[in-house]
């Protein structure tokens, strides 16, 4: 059986930063990732990291903006705990060679922020640059091993109740165990459970369901943030708030700027802009992002160069075309509930980044607080693990399984697509109790039919975990009786 000091499930920014800190301290770390290391939400992030650096800005203003967008459901002490540490972690990563652009003239403005405070990384999309640098650092670290195409399908505790064993499945449905003294879930969110998503297809949240099966508490699953401006075309592409921060506006199909009378206009919180955009599509048949107000020369130089390239590759000219947009599931606020050190309620199990529910975001996430949370939670978890006594090894009860695929992949994919469509229609931007009940019944029926075959067909592992997580998300949405933040519910 493979044995490590720490196993990190997920290879986004949170997972790799945590791995690097632990490895530099002498820990033997395994990073397991469901797909290739390049397929993470961090790699797809366009904006940057929210940190108060400008002369007119302050930690207090950043905190106030975070609490306002979170509709007061944030844990204010935790929010301060995180936001006060962002700059120090940025400085640490800068020493590692990450090219942050901290010049005040380079700071970006995004929705919900009262000041320009978005720190970019490199000259392209921030997430892509950050992940390239972190991956190169990880490759040079002798104490870090990486297993790609390795999906978590179960966690087991030892006789003392501490998480010590992970059950994984590879792309050929082979099932195998990995043993570690400490476990970190850094697998991102579950937005790709929805038919429309801005994130990689692998963002389906199975490790959260594994953690819950082990006894960890999940919280806030009803709070899924929908990004308002995803390019509506065969090859979807996120159109960052950076564009609206530079002057782009939103128009309905009749050419009316539907956010003009809204407080904050195009830079209102994402929950508001996403709802207004969806309603504009229903009312007029479409919504469009108008970039023609931005100087066309900006798309051939500077931060907008990469947007211009991506748009032209998809057949759009930002200097003259209106861009059809639609909301899509983007960022999951809910996750494994953790304390201020990112420890879950299960001994030996930590969670960081989007996979964790820290209390920072409340009912809605302030733009670019996500990468800030990834950086800080990675450091907090690493420090906590390094400060813990080594969990003693206890005999495992796991029996290795030799299994072969005997299912029908087409049937599985059809069920997954049915689940995605169901969640978008019944648990999307606007929800109704009656439709949540319908979704709950569908998921319960599907689970009942699949779990009868579960032990004999390893191909079902991932789908069953996705259905379990969907069931918990729907339950959380039903329990939240009032509209707040990203959760908008009708009677």
């Amino acid at each position: 059986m493979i044995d490590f000091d720490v196993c990190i499930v997920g290879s986004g920014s949170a997972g790799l930063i945590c791995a690097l800190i632990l490895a530099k301290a002498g820990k033997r770390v395994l990073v397991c990732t469901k797909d290739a290391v390049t397929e993470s939400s961090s790699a797809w992030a366009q904006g940057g990291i929210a940190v108060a650096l400008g002369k007119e800005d302050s930690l207090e203003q950043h905190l106030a903006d975070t609490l306002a967008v979170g509709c007061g459901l944030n844990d204010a002490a935790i929010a301060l705990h995180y936001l006060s540490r962002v700059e120090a972690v940025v400085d640490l990563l800068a020493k590692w060679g990450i090219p942050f652009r901290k010049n005040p003239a380079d700071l970006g403005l995004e929705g919900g922020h009262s000041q320009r405070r978005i720190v970019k990384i490199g000259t392209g999309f921030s997430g892509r640059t950050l992940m390239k640098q972190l991956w190169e650092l990880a490759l040079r670290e002798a104490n870090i091993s990486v297993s790609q195409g390795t999906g978590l399908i179960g966690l087991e505790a030892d006789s003392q109740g501490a998480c010590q064993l992970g059950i994984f499945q590879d792309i050929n449905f082979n099932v195998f165990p990995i043993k570690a003294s400490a476990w970190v879930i850094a697998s991102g969110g579950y937005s790709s459970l929805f038919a429309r998503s801005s994130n990689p297809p692998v963002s389906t949240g199975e490790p959260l369901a594994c953690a819950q099966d082990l006894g960890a508490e999940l919280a806030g699953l009803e709070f899924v943030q929908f990004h308002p401006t995803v390019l509506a075309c065969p090859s979807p592409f996120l159109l960052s708030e950076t564009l609206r921060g530079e002057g782009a506006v939103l128009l309905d199909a009749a050419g009316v700027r539907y956010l003009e009378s809204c407080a904050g206009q195009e830079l209102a919180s994402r929950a508001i802009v996403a709802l207004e955009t969806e309603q504009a599509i229903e009312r007029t048949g479409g919504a469009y992002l108008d970039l023609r107000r931005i100087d066309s020369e900006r798309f051939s130089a500077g931060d907008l160069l990469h947007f211009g390239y991506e748009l032209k590759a998809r057949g759009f000219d930002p200097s003259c075309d209106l861009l059809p947009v639609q909301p899509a599931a983007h960022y999951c606020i809910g996750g494994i509930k953790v304390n201020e050190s990112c420890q879950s309620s299960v001994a030996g199990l930590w969670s960081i980044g989007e996979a964790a529910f820290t209390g920072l975001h409340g009912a809605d996430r302030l733009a670019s607080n996500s990468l800030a949370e990834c950086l800080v939670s990675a450091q907090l978890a690493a420090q906590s693990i390094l400060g813990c006594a080594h969990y003693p090894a206890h005999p495992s009860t796991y029996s290795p399984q030799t299994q072969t695929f005997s299912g029908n992949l087409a049937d599985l994919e059809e069920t997954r697509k049915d689940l995605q469509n169901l969640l978008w229609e019944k648990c999307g931007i606007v929800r109704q109790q009656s439709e949540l009940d319908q979704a709950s019944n569908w998921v319960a029926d599907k689970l009942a039919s699949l779990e009868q075959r579960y032990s004999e067909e390893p191909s079902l592992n991932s789908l069953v975990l996705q259905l379990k997580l969907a069931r918990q998300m729907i339950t959380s949405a039903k329990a939240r009786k009032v509209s707040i933040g990203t959760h908008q519910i009708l009677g």
Side-chain angles (χ1 to χ4, degrees):
M1 184 182 296
I2 308 171
D3 195 352
F4 289 87
D5 294 324
V6 185
C7 182
I8 297 175
V9 180
S11 63
S13 60
L16 289 185
I17 291 168
C18 186
L20 284 162
I21 295 172
L22 290 167
K24 291 176 185 295
K27 297 293 184 182
R28 295 175 302 113
V29 182
L30 175 67
V31 176
C32 293
T33 177
K34 186 177 173 185
D35 202 333
V37 292
T38 53
E39 287 299 294
S40 70
S41 296
S42 293
W44 288 29
Q46 295 178 1
I49 298 169
V51 53
L53 296 177
K55 291 182 179 179
E56 304 298 321
D57 204 0
S58 66
L59 172 62
E60 291 73 20
Q61 288 186 70
H62 189 182
L63 177 62
D65 291 345
T66 298
L67 299 180
V69 169
C71 303
L73 289 191
N74 325 62
D75 183 322
I78 287 293
L80 181 61
H81 180 65
Y82 272 78
L83 299 181
S84 63
R85 285 166 169 74
V86 180
E87 187 174 1
V89 185
V90 167
D91 289 343
L92 171 65
L93 268 62
K95 291 179 181 177
W96 291 357
I98 307 297
F100 294 100
R101 293 163 53 199
K102 296 168 64 176
N103 189 308
D106 291 331
L107 298 178
L109 178 66
E110 294 185 345
H113 290 272
S114 59
Q115 300 287 338
R116 287 187 171 271
R117 64 168 69 99
I118 312 304
V119 176
K120 308 293 181 63
I121 305 171
T123 57
F125 294 135
S126 291
R128 191 179 298 169
T129 304
L130 175 63
M131 290 306 301
K132 180 177 182 295
Q133 297 284 330
L134 291 175
W135 177 230
E136 289 176 355
L137 289 169
L139 285 175
R140 295 199 294 266
E141 186 56 63
N143 280 334
I144 294 178
S145 300
V146 178
S147 179
Q148 301 185 72
T150 306
L152 183 71
I153 58 169
L155 291 168
E156 292 193 6
D158 62 17
S159 59
Q160 306 300 306
C163 182
Q164 72 153 20
L165 197 72
I167 313 302
F168 290 84
Q169 182 171 285
D170 66 19
I171 58 176
N172 295 314
F173 303 106
N174 297 308
V175 176
F176 56 92
I178 293 174
K179 191 173 183 180
S181 298
W183 287 81
V184 182
I185 304 299
S187 53
Y190 43 92
S191 68
S192 287
L193 289 178
F194 291 84
R196 285 195 229 154
S197 172
S198 66
N199 284 353
V202 294
S203 297
T204 44
E206 291 94 323
L208 277 64
C210 293
Q212 186 178 41
D213 284 346
L214 189 65
E217 182 181 354
L218 303 185
L221 295 186
E222 71 272 31
F223 294 123
V224 177
Q225 187 180 75
F226 297 89
H227 199 288
T229 52
V230 174
L231 189 64
C233 68
S235 178
F237 174 61
L238 182 71
L239 296 170
S240 167
E241 284 174 6
T242 298
L243 296 167
R244 283 176 273 142
E246 296 296 331
V249 298
L250 283 161
L251 308 175
D252 64 21
V256 175
R257 186 180 171 191
Y258 55 87
L259 286 164
E260 192 165 17
S261 61
C262 178
Q265 298 180 332
E266 276 75 12
L267 291 178
S269 71
R270 286 179 178 170
I272 293 171
V273 180
L275 179 59
E276 292 286 339
T277 299
E278 189 71 6
Q279 290 175 342
I281 293 170
E282 293 174 358
R283 185 175 63 250
T284 70
Y288 300 86
L289 188 65
D290 183 0
L291 305 184
R292 296 173 300 180
R293 300 186 181 207
I294 304 175
D295 187 341
S296 61
E297 291 184 3
R298 296 286 306 280
F299 289 98
S300 58
D303 290 337
L304 301 189
L305 170 64
H306 297 273
F307 283 107
Y309 173 80
E310 296 283 355
L311 288 169
K312 288 177 180 177
R314 289 166 171 79
F316 295 96
D317 184 345
S319 67
C320 60
D321 292 334
L322 291 176
L323 307 178
V325 295
Q326 61 186 5
H330 179 58
Y331 185 88
C332 300
I333 292 168
I336 301 168
K337 189 174 182 179
V338 296
N339 65 14
E340 64 179 15
S341 298
C342 297
Q343 291 176 292
S344 77
S345 56
V346 174
L349 181 65
W350 286 255
S351 184
I352 57 178
E354 193 178 355
F357 180 82
T358 62
L360 167 61
H361 303 302
D364 196 1
R365 175 181 65 97
L366 182 65
S368 287
N369 266 358
S370 49
L371 278 180
E373 182 181 44
C374 284
L375 269 61
V376 174
S377 65
Q379 185 184 56
L380 291 172
Q383 291 173 339
S384 176
I385 292 168
L386 292 172
C388 282
H390 184 81
Y391 289 107
H394 294 274
S396 169
T397 59
Y398 179 75
S399 299
Q401 304 171 57
T402 301
Q403 297 176 306
T404 57
F405 174 60
S406 57
N408 186 317
L409 276 178
D411 285 348
L412 295 183
E413 287 309 308
E414 183 178 354
T415 301
R416 282 194 180 93
K417 287 184 178 177
D418 287 345
L419 174 62
Q420 290 173 323
N421 290 328
L422 176 87
L423 292 181
W424 181 260
E425 293 169 5
K426 310 294 186 184
C427 205
I429 294 175
V430 178
R431 303 160 178 176
Q432 296 186 41
Q433 285 288 353
S434 60
E435 294 192 342
L436 290 174
D437 288 338
Q438 293 171 21
S440 182
N441 292 336
W442 186 92
V443 170
D445 290 346
K446 195 60 66 174
L447 269 172
S449 66
L450 290 177
E451 286 182 326
Q452 293 175 4
R453 301 154 50 194
Y454 183 61
S455 61
E456 291 131 25
E457 295 188 34
S459 56
L460 296 176
N461 286 323
S462 178
L463 179 57
V464 168
L465 290 168
Q466 290 173 24
L467 286 163
K468 285 182 175 182
L469 185 60
R471 177 179 62 188
Q472 187 60 44
M473 180 174 62
I474 294 166
T475 299
S476 297
K478 289 172 65 176
R480 181 74 62 180
K481 303 294 186 182
V482 298
S483 294
I484 187 167
T486 66
H487 177 71
Q488 299 296 313
I489 190 161
L490 302 177

